[in-house]
Amino acid sequence: MIAKVPTVKLSSGYEMPTIGLGTYARNAEQGQVQKAVEWGIEAGYRHVDTAMIYRNEEQVGEGIANKIKQGLVIRDDLFVTTKLWNDKHAEADVLPALEQSLSKLKLTYVDLYLIHWPVSVDQNDEDTGIDYIETWRGMENVVKLGLARSIGVSNFNKEQLDRLLTAAQIKPAVCQFEISPTLTQHDLVDYCKKLSIAPVAYTPLGLLSDARPEFSGKDLIKTDPKLGELSQKYGKSRAQIALRYLIQRGITVIPKSFTKSRIEDNLNLFDFELSRKDMNLVDSYNLNLRCVPALGMSNLKNFPF
Ligand SMILES: NC(=O)c1ccc[n+]([C@@H]2O[C@H](COP(=O)([O-])OP(=O)(O)OC[C@H]3O[C@@H](n4cnc5c(N)ncnc54)[C@H](OP(=O)(O)O)[C@@H]3O)[C@@H](O)[C@H]2O)c1
């Protein structure tokens, strides 16, 4: 049975499904992303998250095109996000960058275009210091041209959001940043909501010790015994508890999986509800620990963390 996914209304007026399929993997095998997107659409995902820098837009586009061709969905059913990379922050570079992404995605518009990071570099990764306010003018232009329905940002902090809002003609509809039971981010989530910016959680499963062996044993999804108890109590997987916790906080989630059964499981979040007490329990796992500290960018102007 295809799960019914609730949507959130963005300040642009468009609806965004509250769960999307993440697609980033450092070492994806050829064809894996396309397969995951196809499995996702078959399972009921209508929201897919990619980025120019993931170098997988062609595969995402191929997966979408196949499912449209097979008549399972039409373009309008889908919510596709991609992101502008840091070396395309000059106002004049935004349109050609999006045109390139659209061509790879085989789409005529994206539902959401995000500034991936507030920092700006050149082709050699040297700081250009371009102000993201300038970039935003390029973002507004692609909305006016009908190439992006909504625009937003990723990895911006409170001060950067404030500054952007003062200068923006079109308000950012979304801020995508890392949020999980091990990085609860109450402050920034509440701030976004106050500004009518929809928060989207990347790396929503939080700490996985496969990726950070130095935290082995603190791995929430795989090993935490209390999460195991909650999982038994609700008859749901540990990952589903973690994702449901975010959904109940009013946060959209974009878990990535290339495993068919997990892609399906991660979507099954809408037939149970965590009690207030259990929400507090999941909240208590907070380690304030970033899985994506982006230390390689830390010397750049406008580094957000
Ligand atoms: N804006 C940004 O700067 C930014 C940064 C990072 C990520 N993102 C986006 O956010 C998406 C999600 O973040 P992420 O990929 O870093 O982390 P994630 O979705 O929290 O975790 C992905 C990992 O969890 C595993 N997994 C998925 N479902 C599971 C389940 N039910 N049980 C156990 N393990 C499970 C996956 O393995 P398998 O694939 O083997 O199933 C994969 O190793 C990315 O793919 C990308 O689209 C954006």
Side-chain angles (χ1 to χ4, degrees):
M1 199 187 74
I2 289 191
K4 186 97 188 85
V5 174
T7 57
V8 58
K9 197 178 177 96
L10 302 177
S11 61
S12 56
Y14 290 99
E15 305 271 342
M16 174 173 70
T18 52
I19 177 164
L21 184 69
T23 61
Y24 177 69
R26 197 172 306 162
N27 300 313
E29 288 160 27
Q30 184 52 34
Q32 221 177 6
V33 174
Q34 180 188 328
K35 205 71 222 154
V37 168
E38 294 190 15
W39 285 332
I41 294 174
E42 284 164 20
Y45 287 78
R46 295 294 177 262
H47 172 176
V48 182
D49 181 83
T50 181
M52 181 266 151
I53 200 68
Y54 302 168
R55 302 188 202 290
N56 66 14
E57 289 171 309
E58 274 122 338
Q59 286 196 55
V60 170
E62 198 61 37
I64 290 173
N66 280 343
K67 290 296 130 185
I68 292 178
K69 201 155 51 188
Q70 288 166 15
L72 194 65
V73 284
I74 57 168
R75 170 65 184 96
D76 244 22
D77 295 335
L78 300 173
F79 188 99
V80 181
T81 302
T82 195
K83 311 185 191 88
L84 177 80
W85 189 239
N86 306 343
D87 62 355
K88 299 282 185 263
H89 274 213
E91 183 180 352
D93 286 346
V94 178
L95 173 61
L98 178 55
E99 282 173 335
Q100 242 184 42
S101 286
L102 287 171
S103 147
K104 290 181 178 160
L105 287 163
K106 295 186 247 310
L107 299 176
T108 55
Y109 68 90
V110 285
D111 295 274
L112 180 62
Y113 199 37
L114 300 178
I115 300 183
H116 207 147
W117 291 87
V119 302
S120 167
V121 295
D122 64 17
Q123 307 296 326
N124 303 316
D125 273 347
E126 297 293 332
D127 201 345
T128 60
I130 295 174
D131 191 340
Y132 48 81
I133 303 285
E134 173 185 335
T135 316
W136 194 251
R137 287 199 292 270
M139 299 292 280
E140 290 174 328
N141 181 41
V142 297
V143 174
K144 289 173 191 151
L145 294 171
L147 302 182
R149 287 190 162 176
S150 304
I151 47 176
V153 295
S154 177
N155 298 302
F156 273 45
N157 65 31
K158 274 166 83 170
E159 291 69 33
Q160 291 168 333
L161 288 177
D162 269 345
R163 217 178 136 247
L164 179 59
L165 277 169
T166 326
Q169 275 179 30
I170 301 176
K171 307 286 177 211
V174 161
C175 184
Q176 183 184 121
F177 51 105
E178 184 176 346
I179 321 170
S180 74
T182 43
L183 182 68
T184 51
Q185 300 261 35
H186 280 279
D187 201 28
L188 190 51
V189 168
D190 292 347
Y191 202 65
C192 283
K193 288 188 186 169
K194 205 177 96 189
L195 300 174
S196 300
I197 297 173
V200 173
Y202 75 65
T203 320
L205 298 175
L207 182 61
L208 294 165
S209 57
D210 296 353
R212 303 282 295 267
E214 67 273 33
F215 291 102
S216 147
K218 282 192 166 179
D219 185 324
L220 178 80
I221 298 301
K222 289 206 177 135
T223 59
D224 188 90
K226 284 182 288 176
L227 197 65
E229 281 168 30
L230 279 193
S231 161
Q232 280 207 330
K233 173 174 165 185
Y234 289 96
K236 290 283 173 180
S237 71
R238 289 157 175 267
Q240 285 168 331
I241 303 280
L243 296 171
R244 177 71 205 183
Y245 154 83
L246 295 169
I247 294 279
Q248 279 185 221
R249 283 181 54 199
I251 299 165
T252 293
V253 294
I254 48 168
K256 168 262 171 185
S257 177
F258 292 166
T259 313
K260 189 167 189 282
S261 60
R262 288 173 176 174
I263 290 173
E264 289 164 0
D265 277 0
N266 292 346
L267 193 63
N268 263 315
L269 308 174
F270 303 101
D271 58 353
F272 76 113
E273 186 163 347
L274 296 171
S275 69
R276 182 46 35 212
K277 192 162 148 268
D278 293 334
M279 285 292 287
N280 290 339
L281 178 64
V282 181
D283 220 40
S284 73
Y285 294 136
N286 188 23
L287 298 169
N288 279 326
L289 179 91
R290 283 181 199 281
C291 296
V292 186
L295 295 176
M297 298 181 191
S298 62
N299 58 342
L300 299 176
K301 187 177 170 218
N302 292 328
F303 181 67
F305 310 144

